[in-house]
Amino acid sequence: MTTSYIKQRVAGLSGEDTDGQSRSTSRTSPLGIPVDRPNRDLPTLSCIIPCRNEAANLDELLPLLSAVLEQHCRAWEIILVDDGSSDETPTLIKNWAHLRGFRGLRLSRNFGKEAALSAGLAAARGDVVLMMDADLQHDAALIPTFIHLWQQGADMVHAERVSRDDESWLKRVGTGLFYRMLNRSERFSVPPDAGDFRLMDRAVVEALLSLPERNRFMKGLYAWVGYRSVAVPYQPKERAHGRSHFRLYRLLQLAVDGLTSFTQWPLRAVSALGILLALIAFVYGGYLTVAYLLYGHAVSGWTTIVVSIMLFAGLQLLSLGIVGEYIGRIFEEVKARPLYIVREQWGDGLPERGP
């Protein structure tokens, strides 16, 4: 099923119908400029790998990855971004950076995966940029497929997981709920089963680098910039060594970042809830007034008053918390601190790109 799916995607991008008949490859760029995309030559490729305490995994990944790139690229570089590791990862990166094609960036502390990816994008010099994790869950055997789809005209190729059966029930439910809330916008949609394992054309990379925001939710930014993207189905492997740094709290934090970066519906939901509660209170107050005038019922309710006060106090605090999240994002953006600080750089990769 995977093979036929990819063949259909390739046929669609190369200008052929499924019966083999050719058709026009003329298309329009995101800026409205007609673009003709014939088959591209083998690219120069920059591979970005964010690393945090991944020494054992890198020992296995880098020989395999460099062998794949050597066969399928005109020239290549592997950019290893150390994001505040406390093990032997910086030393290992420095040693690999003595070899041709390997570069190392060591950030001054742990800035987070989104910042590490951004640092790698800023340093990349290839015609295309590949991003993958260091934990061996992303299969390097898919890289030739990525490159081939790019040669056929795709601006971005991303891996899309086939199943989440290996995840807990709670994580599957939470992931589904998050993406349903995130994709309420009609202007663009973030694929729920896509991650950072993807290949991007230089035009997409430049578009991402032009975005000024500090609070970066990369999965949302990939979708926001647009361009022509193709999904390749895959199933992540088991993590080879170590454990994931994305525990429950970090996942919740990432979800809040994504929602507040790309949606405003939480603010609108608070406004709608306030209007609804005001209407309910108005109707209930009217009912009590009429009942008193007609039947002389005493307006009772010490308990009702206390519960109502606690309910509205809780809702007010919740509303303030939601507004506070957005104000906090504004505060971070206004300070305009750098997204990351590079402490050391090692190695030489591809030559600098011209202006």
Side-chain angles (χ1 to χ4, degrees):
M1 180 178 70
T2 300
T3 303
S4 62
Y5 175 88
I6 294 174
K7 285 182 178 179
Q8 291 176 6
R9 287 292 193 174
V10 172
L13 289 169
S14 61
E16 295 183 357
D17 295 324
T18 53
D19 59 359
Q21 299 296 319
S22 63
R23 54 181 172 79
S24 173
T25 59
S26 179
R27 64 186 186 89
T28 302
S29 75
L31 297 179
I33 304 173
V35 178
D36 184 38
R37 284 292 177 90
N39 289 355
R40 296 153 166 165
D41 296 328
L42 283 179
T44 59
L45 184 146
S46 299
C47 180
I48 301 170
I49 304 178
C51 311
R52 186 184 178 200
N53 299 334
E54 300 286 3
N57 290 317
L58 289 175
D59 274 333
E60 297 183 30
L61 173 63
L62 295 181
L64 173 64
L65 180 60
S66 58
V68 172
L69 297 181
E70 190 68 37
Q71 294 179 17
H72 296 92
C73 301
R74 185 170 80 251
W76 55 271
E77 63 179 357
I78 297 176
I79 303 174
L80 303 165
V81 184
D82 175 59
D83 185 29
S85 296
S86 57
D87 66 353
E88 297 301 317
T89 298
T91 302
L92 185 145
I93 292 175
K94 188 174 182 179
N95 291 338
W96 275 94
H98 289 99
L99 303 178
R100 180 184 63 85
F102 288 89
R103 298 172 61 193
L105 301 178
R106 186 180 186 186
L107 304 187
S108 60
R109 61 170 176 83
N110 175 237
F111 286 90
K113 185 180 180 181
E114 316 295 294
L117 289 172
S118 299
L121 288 173
R125 302 166 181 168
D127 298 329
V128 296
V129 174
L130 172 73
M131 297 194 296
M132 63 188 303
D133 292 344
D135 55 13
L136 295 169
Q137 290 188 291
H138 294 163
D139 191 357
L142 287 177
I143 294 175
T145 301
F146 285 9
I147 295 174
H148 183 60
L149 290 172
W150 173 82
Q151 288 178 307
Q152 300 302 318
D155 295 310
M156 185 158 37
V157 185
H158 65 270
E160 196 166 279
R161 64 186 301 155
V162 176
S163 170
R164 291 186 176 271
D165 293 339
D166 57 331
E167 297 180 343
S168 67
W169 174 86
L170 178 61
K171 187 174 181 180
R172 291 199 302 271
V173 171
T175 300
L177 179 61
F178 166 71
Y179 281 103
R180 280 195 295 273
M181 292 189 294
L182 182 64
N183 288 329
R184 294 182 67 87
S185 170
E186 297 180 355
R187 296 185 178 181
F188 69 96
S189 178
V190 181
D193 297 314
D196 293 314
F197 187 26
R198 63 184 62 223
L199 181 140
M200 299 179 293
D201 185 75
R202 170 53 57 176
V204 180
V205 174
E206 295 298 334
L208 290 171
L209 291 175
S210 69
L211 301 178
E213 61 232 57
R214 269 71 181 169
N215 293 292
R216 301 176 76 86
F217 178 66
M218 295 302 294
K219 295 180 182 64
L221 295 180
Y222 302 142
W224 187 90
V225 296
Y227 291 92
R228 195 175 190 180
S229 185
V230 177
V232 174
Y234 91 119
Q235 187 62 30
K237 299 179 179 179
E238 290 290 333
R239 185 180 177 89
H241 303 282
R243 61 182 181 86
S244 173
H245 300 289
F246 283 86
R247 297 298 182 179
L248 179 60
Y249 174 75
R250 182 67 185 92
L251 289 173
L252 290 174
Q253 188 179 39
L254 187 64
V256 171
D257 288 343
L259 290 175
T260 53
S261 295
F262 289 93
T263 67
Q264 296 179 3
W265 69 260
L267 294 173
R268 293 169 182 165
V270 168
S271 299
L273 181 60
I275 294 173
L276 177 62
L277 291 175
L279 288 175
I280 293 174
F282 179 79
V283 171
Y284 184 59
Y287 163 76
L288 292 178
T289 302
V290 172
Y292 176 76
L293 293 175
L294 294 179
Y295 307 106
H297 290 169
V299 180
S300 63
W302 185 87
T303 303
T304 303
I305 293 173
V306 171
V307 171
S308 299
I309 291 174
M310 293 178 66
L311 172 64
F312 284 103
L315 291 174
Q316 287 174 344
L317 291 175
L318 174 63
S319 303
L320 286 174
I322 293 174
V323 174
E325 286 291 336
Y326 284 91
I327 294 176
R329 299 294 184 275
I330 296 171
F331 180 59
E332 290 293 330
E333 297 294 333
V334 168
K335 287 188 294 186
R337 291 174 181 168
L339 186 61
Y340 56 85
I341 297 175
V342 177
R343 176 180 173 182
E344 295 179 85
Q345 298 188 51
W346 308 298
D348 296 314
L350 295 171
E352 294 278 358
R353 299 182 64 86

